[in-house]
Amino acid sequence: MLMIIKLGGSVITDKNKYMTADKKNIARLAKEIAEARKKGKFDLIIVHGAGSFGHMPVKKHGIKEGVYNEKQRIGFADTNYSCSILSQHVVSALLKEEIPAIVVTPLTVLDHSDKKLKKFDTDVISALLKAGYVPVMRGDVVLDDVRGGSISSGDEQVPYLAKELHAQRVVYGVDVDGVFTADPKTNKKAKLIPLITKGNIGKVLHSLEEAKTHDVTGGMKGKINELLHNAVVPIHIVNARKPNYLKKMLMGDEVTHTKISLN
Amino acid sequence: MLMIIKLGGSVITDKNKYMTADKKNIARLAKEIAEARKKGKFDLIIVHGAGSFGHMPVKKHGIKEGVYNEKQRIGFADTNYSCSILSQHVVSALLKEEIPAIVVTPLTVLDHSDKKLKKFDTDVISALLKAGYVPVMRGDVVLDDVRGGSISSGDEQVPYLAKELHAQRVVYGVDVDGVFTADPKTNKKAKLIPLITKGNIGKVLHSLEEAKTHDVTGGMKGKINELLHNAVVPIHIVNARKPNYLKKMLMGDEVTHTKISLN
C-alpha cells in the first residue's frame, strides 16, 4: 500500500518569517509519521510545501512570472538552494525517527511548459520506493520551456504522483481543520466542509477566497483546482498543527477533517 | 565551450574531521571560478568529492559493500543527507559569487550494478547547461541492482560527463601539485609527473600507492583508473589548495600540474 503525505508550508515553516523552519512541529510530525509507519507497514512518499523558504525568495528575486536573464537565473538557483535547506530540516527529523528519507529535487524529474506540468518522470521515485526508501519531494522552482523557469508546488506534484503510482491514501497536512466555507482564520462564520464530492465542488470553489498569505501557489483553492484534474483516490485534508491528527489520519482513525472524493 | 571542474574532497573538507567543510577554501575557489568564468564565458559543470561528509558516514554505517537491511538503508539515507550538506556549502559559496549553481543529486540520474556505472542519464545536466545554469554533482551513494546501494565517486562521474557532453577542458583540483611517482605527503623522493600518456601510464600506475586517507573511492589511483575507460580530452590535475592555481588552469595560463592525455 502506497501512502502520500503532503506537509504544507504553513505547517513546517513560519510563513511570515524569511527562511524560518518550524523545527518543533517538523520533529513532532516526523515522530507521528514514524509511529504510524511502524504499525501500518505502508510505502510512503512525503511532499512538503516550501513555505517561507520558497514563496519569499521567489518574490524577492521577481521570478514568479519567469526567468529571462542572469540576475533571475541567480534568483532561481538561490530559491532552489533555499528550498533544499527546508528539505534538509525535514529529512534530518525523519532520519532521527529512523525513516530512510531521500530527497528528489523536483527540477531533476519534472519540467514545465508555461507554468503547467509538461513531463514528470516518476522512475526514480518508483526505484526508491522499491528499494525501501521514503522519497521526499517539495515545492520548488523547475525549468519551463516557455518562461525559463516557474514554480512547481507540492499541490501540483501530489495528485500526479497519486495517479501515476496508484496511491491508496493521500493526506494533506495543513494549518486548519480542513476546507471551510470561508477563510477560518479571518471569518468566524466559516464552517468546515467534511465532504467534498462532484455534487458540491462548484459551490465550494465559488465560496473559497484565496488564502491571505505569501503563498504564490494559490492556497486552498489551488490545492482543489489541482485535484480536479488528477484526483483518483479520496484526499484527506487534516490539521497537522494539532498533535496526533496526522497520525490518526494515517492510521485510518476517526478525526475531524475534510475528505475530497471526486470520482 | 564546456568546462568540467572536479573539486576533490581533500580540497573542500577536512578529510580527517567528521563532516567538516573547509569553508575558507570553498569561498576562495568559488571566487577563482567566478573570475575565470567572467573572462572565459564557458559552460561549466562542477563535481565535488564527498571528503569527510561521505567517506566517514559510509564507514560508520558499514555500507561500503552494499545495503541489505533497514539499518543500512537508514545509513544510506544518512550518507546522502550528509553529502547534500556539503553540496550546500559549495552552492552557497558559488551563489555569493553570482554563479547560478544547481545541485543534481547523483542517485536521481545514475544507477550502479555491482559498484559499476549501469546508467547515467545526462539529460537534466544538458537542460540546465542550455538554460544557463551550472550543474553541481558530487560523490554520493546511488542505488545498485546487485548490492542495494553503492558509492559513485566524482571521479567516476567526471570522465563520463566529459565524454557524453563533449567537454573541452577538464580540471581536477586536488591537494597536491599533480600525480607523483609516490605519495608526496609521505615520501620526500616523490617526483611530479608533468605528462601522462599511453607511453608511461603503465609505469605510473605501478608506482602509485593508494592514498593513505579515509578515501573509500581509491585516491589518485582510482582517478586514473576511471580515466582509462572514459578519457576523451586531456585532464589537468592541479593543486586547488594553492591560491590561483585553479584559476590559472581554467584560464589556460601556465601552472605546475599534471596533464593526462591518453588519446
Side-chain angles (χ1 to χ4, degrees), chain B residues 183 207-213 215-222 225:
Chain B
D183 187 343
S207 71
L208 273 181
E209 296 168 75
E210 301 221 354
K212 279 163 194 65
T213 62
D215 197 327
V216 288
T217 51
M220 196 66 84
K221 201 171 177 181
N225 271 326

Side-chain angles (χ1 to χ4, degrees), chain A residues 37 67 70 73-74 76-78 80-81 84-85 88 91-92 95 98 100-102 107-108 124 127 131-133 143, chain B residues 37 67 70 73-74 76-78 80-81 84-85 88 91-92 95 98 100-102 107-108 124 127-128 131-133 143:
Chain A
R37 188 170 170 259
V67 176
E70 180 73 356
R73 273 192 290 275
I74 294 163
F76 177 100
D78 187 53
N80 173 248
Y81 167 75
S84 77
I85 288 178
Q88 288 192 324
V91 168
S92 170
L95 285 171
E98 303 193 325
I102 302 275
L107 64 77
T108 58
V124 173
Y133 295 98
L143 295 181
Chain B
R37 187 169 171 260
V67 176
E70 181 72 355
R73 274 192 290 276
I74 295 163
F76 177 100
D78 186 54
N80 173 250
Y81 167 75
S84 78
I85 288 178
Q88 288 191 324
V91 167
S92 171
L95 285 171
E98 303 192 326
I102 302 275
L107 65 78
T108 58
V124 173
L128 286 169
Y133 296 98
L143 295 181

Side-chain angles (χ1 to χ4, degrees), chain A residues 25 69 79 116 220:
Chain A
N25 216 38
N69 56 47
T79 304
K116 299 260 176 255
M220 197 65 84

